[in-house]
Amino acid sequence: MKHKIIEKKVSPELWNRPIPICPEEIPHLGKEDYEQRLERLWNMPQAKDLETIIVYGDREHYSNIEYFTSYDPRWEESLLLLPKGGKPSILVGNEGIGYVPKVPLDIDVVLYQTLSLMGQPNDKSSALADIFREKISWQGGKVGIIGFKAYDRSKHTLEGIVTDLPYYMVETLCQIVPKDALVNATGLMADCEYGLKHHLSAKEIVIFEAAGTRVSRGILNCLRTMKPGMTEVEAGMQCQFTGSPGNMHPNINFGEKNVALGLNSPTEWTHLEYGSPAGVGYGLRGSLVHKCGMYIRDKADLPEDRAGYVDEFAVPYFENVVSWYEMMKIGTSCGDIYDMVDRELGLEAWGCTLNPGHLTHTDEWTNSPIYRGSNIPVRSGMAFQCDYTVTKKEPFMSAHMEDGLVIADSELRDAVAQLSPSCWERILNRREFIRGELGIKLPEEVLPLSDLSCVFFPYMADTSIVLACE
């Protein structure tokens, strides 16, 4: 190992006297911000051949429409039609029509009731083909469709566009525009290098940091108040949920069965016990925090078949995550980060089935540049989740220390500090704790969004003890 890992007793002011969030410093995105986003979209070289861009959204895939309008579909699907040089239009259903006035842009609102839930009134809308004819600009060029994923064409046998836009929408669109004029334009939002959501502004960073602060403090409160016999739902009540929209469902899981499921919601009937696996996590838009390990007070609480959990499992994992953070420097190849994790830990041997880290925005996983052979460099403006779970099956053990971070050069850091002094002070306190108490050589460009960044609790029943570098 490159680092000598020790157990360390800590009581940081970061946790005990936290700097409060100042609501007046959190930016409210307004008309000018959304107009600038639309302008940036049309100024992208990758958009130069597009005459209209169509953006799809639904409850799960709200992020792209919200990015341009502040409108996030709730019960219904929605379409945003963006003709180049023309007035945007947004199609909403019966329940969206009351919610859509939150859009600050000069935009045409079209009631298209087919987007509504089944059984609701559907007698006042024009046909979708007629709406498309009126609102879409096409003079023989290309029409871009932003769904929620781009697709590797080599994995498909379809002719023409591969898109997740609903079938009836695509077929109707093809009555107006030839199918060979349609292109999947989701990369405009989510490509690892040029995608708009991977070039964060200072405003976005401040907003995401407030989310990370709230989530991490709720997770810490939950961990500190967990007691044997507590149900997952009872523990979840300690996470201090604010009602703010999430980017995932809460994962509060106790016991081998539920922790192994990975994505399970908290239950009323599963109780916390010493010596059992436990995981606690949830996310708000812009930041997710998850901590997973063994609910033990010390090594004596470990079952005999898991006696090596701390030294042989948790310590190597933590040491690898330390290296991950220390490599997060502007210009570092994301492929080199992947290779480091695989070489020094072993992705397959440690049960890591996904990428060791990914990009994020208001949607939790936008894309990942961290894969074998990637030449994509770490760049200022990227928001990452340090997110790779390690798992052993026989006997079952799992560990996870996920938090959000942003990469920011000196200019972007200065902009954040000027925009929100309290946000910047929290970031500085975290960096001081990570470097001073945890002994991690955190690069200057890494902005930790969570009070629990780089923190691993080897004994989840004792949050005063963490792993650290000597």
Side-chain angles (χ1 to χ4, degrees):
M1 292 195 298
K2 294 185 294 186
H3 309 84
K4 183 177 180 181
I5 307 302
I6 59 172
E7 296 175 14
K8 188 171 186 178
K9 199 168 187 66
V10 296
S11 183
E13 288 197 4
L14 179 68
W15 299 348
N16 299 326
R17 298 179 193 81
I19 297 169
I21 293 172
C22 298
E24 64 274 12
E25 292 183 7
I26 301 176
H28 175 72
L29 301 182
K31 181 179 180 181
E32 183 178 340
D33 296 291
Y34 292 105
E35 287 176 341
Q36 288 175 353
R37 287 178 171 184
L38 288 170
E39 183 179 2
R40 286 175 58 205
L41 173 70
W42 284 114
N43 286 337
M44 296 174 72
Q46 297 82 6
K48 65 182 177 62
D49 295 328
L50 303 179
E51 296 183 5
T52 292
I53 297 173
I54 299 173
V55 187
Y56 170 80
D58 58 32
R59 184 68 194 98
E60 180 74 15
H61 310 102
Y62 55 83
S63 181
N64 292 331
I65 283 185
E66 182 192 42
Y67 184 87
F68 293 115
T69 66
S70 88
Y71 177 89
D72 56 326
R74 296 287 167 119
W75 303 109
E76 309 162 336
E77 300 82 40
S78 187
L79 284 178
L80 178 64
L81 309 180
L82 302 172
K84 182 182 287 187
K87 188 177 183 181
S89 300
I90 188 167
L91 278 62
V92 299
N94 291 323
E95 296 186 75
I97 203 70
Y99 185 50
V100 78
K102 72 176 295 186
V103 177
L105 296 167
D106 181 18
I107 193 170
D108 285 338
V109 176
V110 180
L111 175 63
Y112 181 57
Q113 292 175 297
T114 298
L115 298 173
S116 310
L117 300 177
M118 290 177 62
Q120 291 188 2
N122 191 3
D123 57 353
K124 295 181 180 177
S125 301
S126 300
L128 185 58
D130 293 335
I131 296 171
F132 282 163
R133 287 190 184 94
E134 179 183 354
K135 302 297 183 182
I136 288 176
S137 172
W138 182 70
Q139 301 296 324
K142 298 292 184 181
V143 171
I145 296 176
I146 296 177
F148 45 92
K149 286 192 289 187
Y151 294 90
D152 180 351
R153 292 198 57 82
S154 69
K155 306 294 184 182
H156 299 271
T157 57
L158 297 173
E159 294 184 7
I161 187 172
V162 181
T163 177
D164 34 49
L165 193 71
Y167 175 80
Y168 79 92
M169 294 181 182
V170 175
E171 287 299 299
T172 305
L173 189 58
C174 288
Q175 297 174 13
I176 316 303
V177 178
K179 182 172 283 188
D180 60 8
L182 304 178
V183 295
N184 188 320
T186 308
L188 296 172
M189 304 301 296
D191 183 88
C192 290
E193 296 188 270
Y194 62 80
L196 288 174
K197 292 195 289 188
H198 302 146
H199 294 260
L200 266 62
S201 67
K203 285 186 177 181
E204 288 172 301
I205 293 171
V206 172
I207 293 168
F208 290 177
E209 189 276 337
T213 299
R214 291 192 174 102
V215 174
S216 60
R217 291 177 181 176
I219 296 300
L220 180 60
N221 187 68
C222 179
L223 292 170
R224 283 175 158 178
T225 56
M226 289 193 326
K227 297 288 186 289
M230 182 179 280
T231 69
E232 293 171 338
V233 168
E234 288 171 334
M237 293 170 67
Q238 306 305 313
C239 286
Q240 302 174 333
F241 300 122
T242 63
S244 300
N247 62 6
M248 61 163 286
H249 51 274
N251 292 148
I252 293 92
N253 306 126
F254 302 153
E256 179 176 333
K257 178 181 177 182
N258 286 4
V259 172
L261 290 172
L263 303 176
N264 208 44
S265 296
T267 67
E268 295 273 12
W269 50 84
T270 306
H271 296 262
L272 184 62
E273 298 176 356
Y274 287 131
S276 65
V280 178
Y282 82 101
L284 298 177
R285 294 177 183 179
S287 187
L288 182 150
V289 178
H290 185 259
K291 303 295 173 179
C292 180
M294 296 292 287
Y295 186 71
I296 53 178
R297 293 161 294 190
D298 52 40
K299 293 176 183 178
D301 282 334
L302 286 166
E304 185 177 349
D305 62 350
R306 295 170 176 83
Y309 162 75
V310 174
D311 297 328
E312 300 169 17
F313 187 73
V315 165
Y317 168 62
F318 173 77
E319 197 270 340
N320 192 260
V321 173
V322 169
S323 295
W324 189 98
Y325 272 98
E326 292 182 342
M327 289 187 71
M328 272 288 154
K329 299 177 181 178
I330 291 173
T332 299
S333 165
C334 290
D336 288 347
I337 296 172
Y338 179 96
D339 290 343
M340 179 279 298
V341 176
D342 197 28
R343 180 180 63 253
E344 298 184 10
L345 187 67
L347 289 166
E348 184 175 354
W350 283 73
C352 300
T353 58
L354 303 179
N355 313 61
H358 59 86
L359 296 168
T360 191
H361 198 264
T362 53
D363 41 351
E364 196 271 333
W365 184 305
T366 54
N367 206 337
S368 179
I370 305 177
Y371 55 85
R372 180 178 285 111
S374 172
N375 293 316
I376 299 170
V378 174
R379 178 183 34 76
S380 179
M382 286 178 160
F384 282 92
Q385 287 290 133
C386 179
D387 173 17
Y388 54 110
T389 306
V390 291
T391 303
K392 296 284 188 179
K393 293 186 176 180
E394 296 294 340
F396 176 81
M397 293 186 290
S398 186
H400 195 210
M401 47 184 292
E402 177 175 4
D403 299 275
L405 60 138
V406 172
I407 307 299
D409 59 19
S410 59
E411 182 179 354
L412 189 52
R413 295 197 297 272
D414 290 345
V416 171
Q418 183 174 2
L419 183 61
S420 176
S422 67
C423 165
W424 187 243
E425 189 176 0
R426 286 189 295 272
I427 288 171
L428 292 180
N429 284 1
R430 291 169 191 146
R431 295 205 303 205
E432 181 180 354
F433 171 69
I434 291 167
R435 292 167 174 168
E437 293 286 347
L438 302 184
I440 297 171
K441 298 180 178 65
L442 192 72
E444 194 68 21
E445 52 264 60
V446 173
L447 308 187
L449 302 184
S450 159
D451 285 353
L452 297 176
S453 291
C454 301
V455 172
F456 186 85
F457 300 109
Y459 312 110
M460 292 185 76
D462 184 354
T463 54
S464 70
I465 299 176
V466 300
L467 295 182
C469 300
E470 189 174 50

